[in-house]
Amino acid sequence: WMYGNQQELANTEWESTKVYYGGTQGRSVTNIPELAETLRFDSNSFTLTDTRMNYETEKTYTVQATGKYEYNHPKLKLIFDDGSVLEAHISAQNTIYYNDKEMGYNEFERK
């Protein structure tokens, strides 16, 4: 009852709906569409795309990270190409979410 349904992740794209950096500042990506974050899964790899604002230059830039993933419902492990690992889960609302000290809290819904 604590977790959502088993998901077919291959060839799906998820969009961020809630983001909190450092646990104090929050923003709803649905209210700032130009700063969308997406998580795209292929058959055995993923791409995380994050559009960020540089507040000094007031310009946006996009960061992409890729890697492999392991999914054993409800746990989802994102293994980045640089070797870092992000532990995520599928929630009862069938969203992907993670809470990481460096990356903050993020929640994705399937597009």
Side-chain angles (χ1 to χ4, degrees), residues 13 15-17 19 27-38 49-53 60-62 111:
E13 189 166 342
E15 188 171 54
S16 181
T17 57
V19 179
R27 64 177 167 87
S28 169
V29 176
T30 54
N31 293 336
I32 312 173
E34 69 273 11
L35 297 179
E37 297 175 53
T38 58
T49 304
D50 184 2
T51 302
R52 303 175 183 180
M53 172 68 78
T60 59
Y61 63 99
T62 300
K111 283 178 120 180

Side-chain angles (χ1 to χ4, degrees), residues 37 39 41 46 48 65-71 74-89 96-108:
E37 297 175 53
L39 186 55
F41 293 95
F46 72 90
L48 177 65
T66 58
K68 304 286 184 197
Y69 68 93
E70 297 173 5
Y71 178 47
K75 296 180 180 182
L76 173 64
K77 184 186 289 187
L78 303 177
I79 306 162
F80 292 89
D81 290 338
D82 68 2
S84 60
V85 176
L86 182 64
E87 299 281 342
H89 293 85
I96 295 174
Y97 72 95
Y98 58 79
N99 193 4
D100 182 74
K101 282 192 275 186
E102 292 182 20
M103 298 184 74
Y105 175 85
N106 205 329
E107 190 172 299
F108 293 86

